[in-house]
Amino acid sequence: MEFSIHLALLLFAYSNCFSQNIVASATKMNVFYAGIDNPFEYAVSTMYCKNYQLSSNNGAIRCNDSCHCFINPINVGTTIIYIKDKKGKLIDSSVFRTKSLPDPRFEIIYPIHCRSGFIVNFRDSVLLEMKDFDFDIKFITKEFIITQKRNDTIIATYKNISGKISEGVKKLYLSGKSGDIFYITNIIVVEPNGKERSIAGTAFKIQ
């Protein structure tokens, strides 16, 4: 009986010594995003983190000696991070949800206040904004189409290549009359990992 108690205490102490903890430091929600570097850090009780090695079922991991790491998940779904000692023995693991990056918000115009209210002016380049997002993510605009309509009739259409607003788009807008609606469609952006995606369009009306 005494031997069993001592053995149980020894096993309890051993398990505590090698207890691990992985924390997603950026989102605080155990969420990763596919296709980008997600920062996280792991804490090791009574041991130096550099005495351990991390691996994953979904993407590469790189860490420094201070337990600060990055993982770039390949697929959406579940990402498991495994902690092993230098001999390859599994010590612990942690499961994270992995999601796609949300679409950025596409902005091409900005209001200028004047005595009569405000007028709309074009930006020099498209603004792709990740609103209320914890990561500093940069999408790139590849192309979009602007269509001018007047009384439900298409007046003109122009395809803009790149995120820089072309002179053709600006001339199209300057030709507009009060009540004209400009539709921005077929917006193609490039994710940080180089993949292309289509995002929702937008529209604005000349007052």
Side-chain angles (χ1 to χ4, degrees):
M1 180 67 177
E2 183 179 357
F3 174 76
S4 299
I5 294 176
H6 287 169
L7 179 59
L9 290 174
L10 180 61
L11 290 175
F12 176 77
Y14 180 83
S15 63
N16 279 346
C17 180
F18 285 93
S19 175
Q20 314 297 319
N21 182 31
I22 302 178
V23 180
S25 60
T27 64
K28 302 179 182 179
M29 294 175 57
N30 279 12
V31 174
F32 289 149
Y33 291 92
I36 64 170
D37 283 339
N38 295 260
F40 71 95
E41 57 186 20
Y42 68 105
V44 183
S45 302
T46 71
M47 292 286 182
Y48 291 112
C49 57
K50 64 182 180 180
N51 292 333
Y52 296 86
Q53 53 190 1
L54 300 186
S55 61
S56 172
N57 68 328
N58 186 20
I61 296 176
R62 68 181 193 275
C63 301
N64 60 22
D65 290 341
S66 300
C67 303
H68 297 294
C69 306
F70 288 91
I71 180 170
N72 194 319
I74 300 172
N75 302 310
V76 171
T78 299
T79 297
I80 305 174
I81 295 180
Y82 303 98
I83 298 182
K84 298 180 181 180
D85 62 21
K86 292 299 185 180
K87 295 181 180 180
K89 180 181 178 181
L90 180 64
I91 303 299
D92 201 357
S93 63
S94 188
V95 179
F96 296 83
R97 290 181 296 135
T98 303
K99 302 165 61 176
S100 295
L101 283 171
D103 286 343
R105 185 173 65 181
F106 182 96
E107 292 188 7
I108 192 175
I109 59 174
Y110 62 93
I112 299 177
H113 295 278
C114 59
R115 292 181 180 179
S116 60
F118 68 89
I119 60 175
V120 170
N121 200 4
F122 272 96
R123 299 178 180 275
D124 291 328
S125 298
V126 171
L127 174 64
L128 296 176
E129 185 179 24
M130 300 290 287
K131 189 175 182 181
D132 300 325
F133 196 69
D134 291 331
F135 294 86
D136 183 18
I137 302 300
K138 295 188 182 301
F139 283 82
I140 298 173
T141 302
K142 180 182 179 183
E143 61 186 48
F144 62 89
I145 293 177
I146 181 168
T147 301
Q148 178 186 7
K149 278 190 175 184
R150 182 178 302 155
N151 299 323
D152 293 328
T153 300
I154 295 178
I155 302 300
T157 298
Y158 190 91
K159 185 174 184 179
N160 194 99
I161 304 298
S162 85
K164 183 177 176 57
I165 308 302
S166 66
E167 291 300 317
V169 171
K170 294 178 180 179
K171 288 180 181 178
L172 192 68
Y173 172 71
L174 291 175
S175 70
K177 297 181 179 180
S178 178
D180 286 1
I181 302 176
F182 290 85
Y183 295 90
I184 313 296
T185 59
N186 297 80
I187 304 171
I188 305 297
V189 299
V190 182
E191 301 176 9
N193 60 5
K195 293 183 179 180
E196 296 180 4
R197 75 160 69 173
S198 176
I199 64 174
T202 185
F204 62 92
K205 185 177 182 178
I206 295 181
Q207 302 299 323

